[in-house]
Amino acid sequence: MTGSNYKYPGFISYSHRDRKVAEWLHRALESYRVPKRLVGSAGQFGPVPARLYPIFRDREELSAGALAEQLRQAIAQSRCYILICSPHAATSRWVNEEVEHFLNVRDPASLLCLIVDGEPNATAKGHPERECFPPALRNAKLNGLPLEPMAAQLDDDADGRDNARLKIIAGLLGVGFDELKRRDLIARNRRLAVLAGLSLGVAAITVALAIFAVLAQREAEHSRQQGEELIGFMLGDLRGKLEPLGKLDILDAVGDRATAYFAGLDRGSDPGPRALGARAKALRQIGEVRFAQGRPADAVETLSAALKLQRDLVAAAPDDNALLFELGQTEFWVGYAGWRAGQFDQAETNFLAYQAISQKLVGRDPANRNWQIEVAYALNNLAILAFERHRYSEALPLFEQVAAKARGLLDSNELAPEAVKLLGALSWQGSTLLRLGRNTEALAKLQEHTDLLRALVRSQPDDLRQRYELVFSLSTLGYTALDTGDTAVALSAAAEGAALARQMVDADPTNYDYRQTVLMHSQIAANAEFQANRLEAAASENAASFRALKDLLSNDGTNHETRRRYMTAAALAYEIAWLQRDAAKARSVADEALSFVGNVLPDAKPDRIDYAQAHLYALELAVYEDHNDAAAQVHRAAARAALTDTDDNKADDLHASARLRALLGLMSGADHIPDAALPNTKAPWTYSVQRFIDRHCGKRNAPLSAQLCSQYSPDARHPSLSKTGVDP
């Protein structure tokens, strides 16, 4: 094709987390007026056009599988390919597939890069967290040399926004940047001169318009108030009706348009406290919906805006209970965002603020049961935080208090739905009792909670919120049964929970939390099959878990829980590969795990355990299969550094750290296992010290002492290589 035969001057490829930059660039390109003296002149692609329209921007995430056919066609019909480069794009599977396809079918010279964050080829410099090029671009060659595409940098310390925009435009037009900038400056100065000539006439008209503006402002304020009240209704009352039906996707466009509406309001106007309060509430509700859809970055952005606005409103009117209540709700949601990201200090700050506000409201009106339930929620949040920090003795009495408050509210028809949520404290009690070694009590609490929720779901079969509570309770029961070695209970809970979870996803495919529950029950089933020594069934179910994980991670790759579940699936796949004597499969799992954890951020302490575990997989293979001392040294150093930097009092599992340190010691010549690393669970998803010893004792070239091997005999309750044979 010649330049004039392409349907699109450019195709914009980007990660959904860089959506705002992509939208800005799209508008900037399509609205750009090419200087008249350049129009029609000879450019690299033929005569220079007057406009760059239309620009193709992929607005939707790709479905799982191959690159969508419509995108292949769009790439083929685009003169240039514009890649928005950032660490998000570097780790996006979809962006990488688009780049890979483009490089296979088109001339690399038509590739234009806009760098919004990070650094090209940072991975090769030992800083993968700063990498902004996807793998397909990093590995691309041109005439046997690494491809060096034209790149513009948005940062003010580099090109800056305006020059970066002009660089991309110059690339699309096929003209030199300096020539375009010079012509653009001339055209801009001419436009300013014309505007200056018009300014005197405009000044005369302004006086007349000012009179009309006062009248129009009153009408605009009334319309804006009505609009914001309508947004509040749709995100509040209407959401309450849609959520039990699993139809939050209907509100997707409402949230987007409301966000754009608030962003576009005149910042210089003073809409008054009532309108600002409605705006803050709407922003918080948008954040709640975004969380439910698995869009945490978008959620945090709107929640932060709401929090700032509400703090200002409460400071101006400290005795307004309605404003104070709304501030408490937003403090909770911002804390929830921190908790979900594993940032427990931030979460505690906001949760304590939420508790203080709830207690203040009850102090002002002790008979208000709605505010009493807020106090119970605040207590529950702090109990969960104590649990996450492994302060189980501190968490248990808090959960008991919450459960007691919830039982006292069950007789209220108005508050029964809230009481049911709070009865989740029974499930947390069970998990806490398990950590304290009180296994029988733990299972009894979990069964009590599950039975209660099952009865509620039978009485309200169309309420997906009740069903979600039951599904989540079943997952806790399943995980606990695995911990205690009760495979039958785990399989039963997984089967019931998976069936209910799939029904919820069918009702609302956009709900991120619903999709998480499908994953959880798939992982419970996979591990239960492994525990029962049915390896083929375990491998099949674990493969389904990986498929669900890749879908979830493409939607939100930063979620701490989802990342941990990925490593859970990797650990099971690794153990299965060893039991099946498939070293190639074990190596493949290790390579994928290393790739997954390779972009750990410096402050992402919750991921340090996963980082160490992936390197220990590679270390085990280097020592016991490949006998590669150089590779072993690299992975040993990486694992040791990660384990040195963990924080066992906060986000990391205390036993996991001890267990991985013990494995590192065994692979470095230690002849004993510290007591802290001995098995504290029957759960099979851990990278097991016991199975490690089992598979390497008696093996040729295995540097494990005879004393160690005789001291730790195989555990009959864990699948082991003794059932499939070991090397003589």
Side-chain angles (χ1 to χ4, degrees), residues 546 564 566-575 578 583 586-594 597 609-626 635-636 639 659-660 663 667 684-688 692 695-696:
F546 271 121
R564 270 291 167 89
Y566 181 95
M567 292 304 292
T568 293
L572 186 61
Y574 186 76
E575 295 288 354
W578 273 107
R587 186 172 287 103
S588 173
V589 172
D591 288 344
E592 289 183 13
L594 284 170
V597 301
I609 290 290
D610 299 335
Y611 187 84
Q613 184 163 310
H615 279 282
L616 285 172
Y617 293 158
L619 176 58
E620 182 177 4
L621 289 162
V623 172
Y624 298 101
E625 287 294 317
D626 304 334
H635 295 301
R636 186 177 289 113
R659 177 169 43 80
L660 295 181
L663 283 162
M667 295 183 216
W685 57 75
T686 57
Y687 184 14
S688 167
F692 172 84
R695 60 178 167 252
H696 294 304

Side-chain angles (χ1 to χ4, degrees), residues 253-563:
V254 177
D256 284 338
R257 288 181 177 258
T259 303
Y261 166 76
F262 290 132
L265 288 177
D266 179 12
R267 298 178 185 272
S269 66
D270 182 9
R274 180 181 174 184
L276 288 174
R279 184 183 308 177
K281 182 177 180 179
L283 286 169
R284 189 250 301 162
Q285 291 167 329
I286 292 168
E288 293 178 33
V289 173
R290 292 292 176 259
F291 263 124
Q293 295 171 324
R295 297 166 57 183
D298 293 335
V300 169
E301 183 179 355
T302 55
L303 287 171
S304 298
L307 186 62
K308 183 180 183 306
L309 195 53
Q310 286 170 331
R311 284 175 175 172
D312 291 343
L313 288 168
V314 169
D319 296 328
D320 190 318
N321 288 344
L323 288 178
L324 189 61
F325 173 80
E326 288 300 328
L327 174 59
Q329 300 302 296
T330 307
E331 290 281 7
F332 160 74
W333 279 102
V334 174
Y336 173 77
W339 171 77
R340 190 161 171 166
Q343 298 167 353
F344 295 156
D345 287 342
Q346 176 200 318
E348 183 177 39
T349 298
N350 294 111
F351 284 166
L352 286 172
Y354 170 47
Q355 183 186 45
I357 288 169
S358 301
Q359 290 172 337
K360 183 179 289 188
L361 288 169
V362 169
R364 292 177 179 180
D365 185 0
N368 190 317
R369 298 186 81 185
N370 285 302
W371 290 349
Q372 291 174 19
I373 213 163
E374 294 300 323
V375 172
Y377 272 130
L379 196 63
N380 195 55
N381 297 335
L382 294 171
I384 292 172
L385 206 55
F387 178 92
E388 295 280 10
R389 286 170 156 168
H390 317 302
R391 301 170 185 170
Y392 305 122
S393 297
E394 175 187 332
L396 185 60
L398 296 178
F399 285 129
E400 290 170 347
Q401 290 179 54
V402 175
K405 288 178 181 290
R407 285 193 179 95
L409 294 167
L410 274 175
D411 59 348
S412 167
N413 290 331
E414 180 185 354
L415 296 178
E418 304 302 321
V420 169
K421 291 181 185 177
L422 285 170
L423 279 173
L426 288 171
S427 180
W428 282 102
Q429 271 183 271
S431 298
T432 307
L433 287 164
L434 179 70
R435 300 304 190 279
L436 293 171
R438 296 157 62 178
N439 293 359
T440 303
E441 294 174 78
L443 282 173
K445 283 293 179 189
L446 292 168
Q447 289 283 13
E448 177 187 353
H449 186 230
T450 301
D451 291 343
L452 186 152
L453 291 173
R454 196 180 283 118
L456 286 170
V457 168
R458 280 197 296 267
S459 67
Q460 303 174 43
D462 296 329
D463 190 334
L464 289 190
R465 287 177 301 187
Q466 305 282 29
R467 190 172 300 186
Y468 174 77
E469 297 292 336
L470 173 57
V471 170
F472 204 89
S473 179
L474 284 165
S475 72
T476 306
L477 176 61
Y479 282 124
T480 304
L482 286 171
D483 270 331
T484 58
D486 197 331
T487 305
V489 170
L491 282 170
S492 174
E496 182 182 0
L500 292 168
R502 290 190 185 99
Q503 291 172 10
M504 294 192 306
V505 172
D506 288 343
D508 185 1
T510 67
N511 192 302
Y512 188 85
D513 290 333
Y514 292 175
R515 288 151 57 201
Q516 279 273 19
T517 59
V518 173
L519 166 63
M520 288 189 291
H521 286 286
S522 178
Q523 291 198 308
I524 292 167
N527 283 279
E529 296 289 3
F530 181 85
Q531 204 168 57
N533 205 25
R534 294 190 286 264
L535 298 187
E536 293 297 334
S540 175
E541 195 68 53
N542 203 41
S545 297
F546 271 121
R547 289 193 292 273
L549 278 159
K550 288 177 181 176
D551 175 51
L552 289 165
L553 287 166
S554 70
N555 190 272
D556 176 13
T558 65
N559 188 292
H560 166 59
E561 293 177 32
T562 312
R563 292 180 67 84

Side-chain angles (χ1 to χ4, degrees), residues 50 85 139 151 192 226 263 273 306 325 476 512 646:
C85 303
N139 299 328
L192 288 173
Q226 287 184 320
F325 173 80
T476 306
Y512 188 85
T646 57

Side-chain angles (χ1 to χ4, degrees), residues 645-666:
D645 198 31
T646 57
D647 189 343
D648 299 328
N649 294 318
K650 293 184 181 179
D652 297 311
D653 184 326
L654 181 62
H655 180 262
S657 298
R659 177 169 43 80
L660 295 181
R661 289 187 183 105
L663 283 162
L664 178 60
L666 292 174

Side-chain angles (χ1 to χ4, degrees), residues 101-124:
H101 176 71
F102 164 77
L103 291 173
N104 285 335
V105 300
R106 298 292 305 279
D107 181 0
S110 58
L111 170 63
L112 309 173
C113 294
L114 178 64
I115 299 172
V116 300
D117 191 17
E119 179 184 353
N121 300 311
T123 301

